[in-house]
Structures are given as C-alpha cells and as structure tokens.
Amino acid sequence: MCGIFGVISNTPVNQLIYDALLLLQHRGQDAAGIVTMLEGKCFMHKARGMVRDVFRTRNMRALPGNVGLGQVRYPTAGNAYSEEEAQPFYVNAPFGIVLVHNGNLTNAHALKQELVDVDRRHINTTSDTEVLINILAHELQAAARDKVLTPSIVFEAVRAVHKRIKGSYAVVALIAGHGLLAFRDPFGIRPLCFGEAELPDGREVVVASESVAIEGTGHKVVRDVAPGEAIFIGMDGVVHAEQCAENPTLNPCMFEYVYLARPDSIMDGISVYQARLNMGETLAKRVISTVPPKDIDVVIPIPESSRPSAMQLAQKLGKPYREGFVKNRYVGRTFIMPGQGVRKKSVRQKLNAIGVEFKGRNVLLVDDSIVRGTTSKEIVQMARDAGARKVYMASAAPPVRFPNVYGIDMPTSEELIAHNRSIEEIRQFIGADALIYQDVDAMKNVVGALQPALDGFEASCFDGRYVTGDVSVDDFTAMAAQRKSQGDEEETADRTRLALQNGTEAG
C-alpha cells in the first residue's frame, strides 16, 4: 500500500504535491518522494520518513516546475530499509520517464530476468517498481520508434504493459515534455481517480490514490480510472482516455474499505465511511448470536479505523458508545510499521486507556481487523489493567487467514494469527472472554450493495481466492525468504531516532 499523486498545471506544483502527500500520509510512512519537471528537466527529492520530515524549505525550493508527481511509501516488495528504493523512479530513455506505483507485481522476478536477457535493460534494486518502469520504457520505445509521441501510441504501450505484468498496480508516470500518464491494473485492485480545477491561470488536472487528496487540494473529482484504463494528460491539460485491457473487471481490494483508506474517501463509487457503517451493522448480528447484549455494558472502538463500525454496532445493540482509548497521533499506524519488533513496542506508546470507561464493566472492544494478533492481545490486557470485568473483542473484518500478494504487508502465513487456528484458539491467544468475527459473505454483500457495478472484491486475505489467477505457493515462499533476508531494523540508531522524533515533535 502506497499513496500516489500526479499533476499537470500552469503554476508551480511543489506545494500542491506536498499537500496531497500529507492527505495520503496514512497510506505510507516509511518514505516519501516528489519529482517536478521544468523545461524537460527533472528535479527529485526522496528519502525515508514522514512527508513533513523528508521535505524542508530548502528541498521544496529545489523542486521547480508546473508538472510533477509524488508518493508516500510503505514497502511490500523490495527492501524496506533502502532509501534508494523510495519512489519515484527515473529512466532516461525513451524521452525521460518518472514513475510512482501503488501495488505489487506478482511476476516481478520473472520479468526482471526477462528485462536483462531479452530487453537488455539493467535493474539496480529489488523493487518491483523499477521493474515496472523499465517494462513501460521498453514498450514505449517499441511503440514510438521513429514516430511522434501521441496519446494513441502511449495507449499502445500500456496495452503491451498489461500483457506482460501481473498483479496489482496503480501507476502515475511523467513523460518528459509530453505529459502525465496514469493507468490501473485490469482487475482494479488498487485505487486510482482523477480530478480537475479551473484556475485563473488555466486548467489543472490531478491524479491520486484517493478522492480525499483531490478534494482536499481544492479540486473536483471527475471519476475513478477504470480497471485496465489509461489516461494521458497532455501538457495543455487535455485528458485522453482509452481502455487498454482485453477483459477488465472491477474487483477492488476489500482491505481498502476495512482499514487502509481514509473514511472520507469515495473509492469506485463506494463511500469508505458508509462501507464501515454497514460492516458494523452486520457485525452486530454476529455479536448478538455470540454474546447476549445484556452482558455488554459499553462498546469501545480501537481508534481510528474501527469507529464507524463500532458506532453502528452500538446503535444496533442499544448500548452506549464510548471512547475508551486515547490515541497519540504522533505515533505512526502500527500495522504498517516494518518489523514486528517496532509493532510490539509501539502499542502502548500509541494508545492509553481511560480507566473510568473500563472499571467494573463488561466491555466490547471493536477493531477494524485482527491481522497478527499481537496488538489485540496487548489491548485486551490494557482493558483488564484499567479495571474491566470482562473483555469481549469484535472484528469488523473476517479472520485474515491467507497471505496477501497485492500490496498489503502480510505476505507470510506464519505472521497471521488466524492461519490454521480456530476462533477459540485465537480468543485464547489474545486473552478475550469472547471473540466475534465478521462473516466473509456478509461483508462482501453489505459493501457490494453500495456499488452494484462491481464484479466482486479482491478479498484473498479473507477467502484465499486470488483474482489474477497466477499466484502459487512458490510466490509465498519467495516473499517469506525476502522478508527474512531483510531482517528487522527496529534496533538501529536511525530507525529509533526517527520513531522518537515522530513521537515527540510538536504539531
């Protein structure tokens, strides 16, 4: 999961891209990067850290131009701790291309060898984004040979890219002197939308992972980029669009609605906030069948993503909804911190219990999902330490039983608390008096009802079905080996200093 943004304008765009990345910060906290372009020359700054830490005044001044793109990263492929693998990526031929990518290529290893042996291109990192930009560069060169670059030639190249790469990908690329290209995988797994604004200096067109980055920067959302579709925005701001995949279907990632996206975003016609309300409503039915409502005194969300579901659940149960945990907003999202060690030690830095809401009560804690179980275990103990008589736990998502290969940081089965464990075994592990999970089909139905045009959901981490049809046991083995080879860096000086800085810096 990453956040990407691109813009073509008639005015300087460095501040606009910075503001958009702040709005997408929830999608990645490991690294950030911006590229702008002026008179065909690229200006780039990227580094590890949060947006506000990566970009200082001197960095912003060094990013001139009216065209640009940016990314916030949390790594799912490649090296989590390599600054060289922060995006954007750049290749100088053909034309000069800069690219940012959200997703994960499932055939990156085979493509890398193909690029070396057949396309004669050099790959310098383990990042699948570098593979992707080189595939795009090769296909653009083939399509545009001895021709003037036109939108139709760009779309021809994207068609060839779709045929070669597999997995999930939302892409924004700048082609020097020509314009901005954005395209989405044929299954629509990762989100992408575009918007525009009519300014005194002319039309400004933007592309982003989530609608909140478009609306929050003063633009109007035009629509989502369709699965398999490519849009090309010329330097004059004119938008050209074409379907470039043979059999596209719309299967957005369910985990976006469960956890990843901001609640104020609308993705593929579905309000993330309404989706979470609906999840809470159907979760209430599961709770009633497991724990009699008379045995529940209060419903308490585990901030932030679970709040809409918890509110709706409390209303359906007729129980008071209370904020029992205070979140330290200067600590990053626990789920997307690389390394289990960082995850473990950050929970109590991140949350603190309000004793009066727990003491002597039977509390129902509601979380958006339970992935590794370590956070849930500690939160349940925090509730008990605060004086709760009984602690029930409800998850607005079903058990996460299967690895994810499409851009979410849970690729190995060993990390998943629900893999090969019963609900009772999970309950014992986290120490709750009762554990209630969402039903997979019920979740799909209540979220899917908000957008009848969907063909389905990419929900492989819940149901084990991989929509691209090309995922094998070997893929999981390779990912597990890669993660182990990277090690865990939470004890290094740089990582510790960054965590402390983010935890204490005043807003």
Side-chain angles (χ1 to χ4, degrees), residues 341-356:
V342 174
R343 226 172 258 116
K344 286 178 180 175
K345 73 182 181 182
S346 71
V347 177
R348 288 184 184 260
Q349 292 176 343
K350 180 180 178 182
L351 294 176
N352 192 43
I354 301 173
V356 69

Side-chain angles (χ1 to χ4, degrees), residues 193-222:
C193 55
F194 71 97
E196 60 185 22
E198 292 295 338
L199 304 178
D201 294 298
R203 192 161 180 250
E204 189 170 80
V205 183
V206 296
V207 184
S209 293
E210 294 186 32
S211 61
V212 67
I214 295 176
E215 295 171 333
T217 52
H219 299 80
K220 179 183 177 182
V221 176
V222 174

Side-chain angles (χ1 to χ4, degrees), residues 420-433:
N420 286 337
R421 288 188 180 91
S422 67
I423 304 298
E424 174 58 21
E425 287 172 329
I426 302 168
R427 183 198 67 78
Q428 291 178 10
F429 176 84
I430 68 174
D433 293 292

Side-chain angles (χ1 to χ4, degrees), residues 279-357:
M279 289 180 204
E281 190 162 328
T282 189
L283 180 60
K285 299 174 184 176
R286 304 277 293 184
V287 170
I288 292 170
S289 67
T290 306
V291 180
K294 64 181 177 61
D295 291 348
I296 299 171
D297 296 319
V298 64
V299 176
I300 295 176
I302 298 169
E304 304 273 350
S305 308
S306 66
R307 281 180 173 139
S309 296
M311 284 191 295
Q312 194 73 353
L313 186 154
Q315 184 182 46
K316 289 296 177 182
L317 295 183
K319 296 296 176 179
Y321 167 93
R322 294 288 185 270
E323 293 286 342
F325 293 102
V326 174
K327 182 180 180 181
N328 177 358
R329 62 190 179 95
Y330 302 107
V331 176
R333 295 181 88 175
T334 306
F335 174 74
I336 61 175
M337 288 182 181
Q340 184 75 344
V342 174
R343 226 172 258 116
K344 286 178 180 175
K345 73 182 181 182
S346 71
V347 177
R348 288 184 184 260
Q349 292 176 343
K350 180 180 178 182
L351 294 176
N352 192 43
I354 301 173
V356 69
E357 296 295 353

Side-chain angles (χ1 to χ4, degrees), residues 198-497:
E198 292 295 338
L199 304 178
D201 294 298
R203 192 161 180 250
E204 189 170 80
V205 183
V206 296
V207 184
S209 293
E210 294 186 32
S211 61
V212 67
I214 295 176
E215 295 171 333
T217 52
H219 299 80
K220 179 183 177 182
V221 176
V222 174
R223 62 177 175 85
D224 294 285
V225 176
E229 183 184 28
I231 65 170
F232 182 74
I233 307 143
M235 299 301 289
D236 55 2
V238 175
V239 178
H240 308 266
E242 190 169 308
Q243 178 54 251
C244 297
E246 292 178 355
N247 297 296
T249 58
L250 182 54
N251 296 269
C253 174
M254 178 60 81
F255 217 74
E256 293 278 358
Y257 301 103
V258 168
Y259 174 83
L260 301 179
R262 269 181 52 155
D264 46 343
S265 283
I266 296 176
M267 307 173 84
D268 291 308
I270 296 176
S271 160
V272 175
Y273 180 75
Q274 186 62 53
R276 290 174 186 171
L277 288 177
N278 288 10
M279 289 180 204
E281 190 162 328
T282 189
L283 180 60
K285 299 174 184 176
R286 304 277 293 184
V287 170
I288 292 170
S289 67
T290 306
V291 180
K294 64 181 177 61
D295 291 348
I296 299 171
D297 296 319
V298 64
V299 176
I300 295 176
I302 298 169
E304 304 273 350
S305 308
S306 66
R307 281 180 173 139
S309 296
M311 284 191 295
Q312 194 73 353
L313 186 154
Q315 184 182 46
K316 289 296 177 182
L317 295 183
K319 296 296 176 179
Y321 167 93
R322 294 288 185 270
E323 293 286 342
F325 293 102
V326 174
K327 182 180 180 181
N328 177 358
R329 62 190 179 95
Y330 302 107
V331 176
R333 295 181 88 175
T334 306
F335 174 74
I336 61 175
M337 288 182 181
Q340 184 75 344
V342 174
R343 226 172 258 116
K344 286 178 180 175
K345 73 182 181 182
S346 71
V347 177
R348 288 184 184 260
Q349 292 176 343
K350 180 180 178 182
L351 294 176
N352 192 43
I354 301 173
V356 69
E357 296 295 353
F358 292 91
K359 193 168 184 179
R361 291 177 170 178
N362 294 344
V363 299
L364 174 62
L365 304 180
V366 181
D367 208 347
D368 49 67
S369 58
I370 300 172
V371 179
R372 295 167 174 88
T374 50
T375 298
S376 300
K377 182 176 184 178
E378 192 155 355
I379 287 173
V380 168
Q381 188 57 50
M382 287 171 67
R384 295 199 188 282
D385 292 344
R389 189 166 59 238
K390 286 191 175 181
V391 182
Y392 308 120
M393 174 71 81
S395 169
V400 179
R401 298 191 183 280
F402 304 95
N404 184 282
V405 298
Y406 298 125
I408 301 174
D409 184 24
M410 47 172 138
T412 61
S413 301
E414 292 76 12
E415 294 180 85
L416 306 177
I417 184 64
H419 182 72
N420 286 337
R421 288 188 180 91
S422 67
I423 304 298
E424 174 58 21
E425 287 172 329
I426 302 168
R427 183 198 67 78
Q428 291 178 10
F429 176 84
I430 68 174
D433 293 292
L435 175 60
I436 305 97
Y437 273 107
Q438 180 76 265
D439 177 72
V440 176
D441 291 333
M443 175 187 65
K444 290 180 181 179
N445 289 338
V446 297
V447 179
L450 300 172
Q451 176 52 282
L454 291 183
D455 295 295
F457 289 100
E458 195 301 296
S460 56
C461 55
F462 305 119
D463 62 18
R465 293 196 288 270
Y466 297 90
V467 297
T468 57
D470 65 325
V471 179
S472 68
V473 174
D474 291 341
D475 294 315
F476 301 139
T477 303
M479 287 182 183
Q482 180 182 331
R483 287 165 68 85
K484 287 176 182 175
S485 69
Q486 286 179 203
D488 222 4
E489 204 197 46
E490 73 273 10
E491 297 304 326
T492 68
D494 286 347
R495 173 66 71 174
T496 303
R497 185 167 61 250

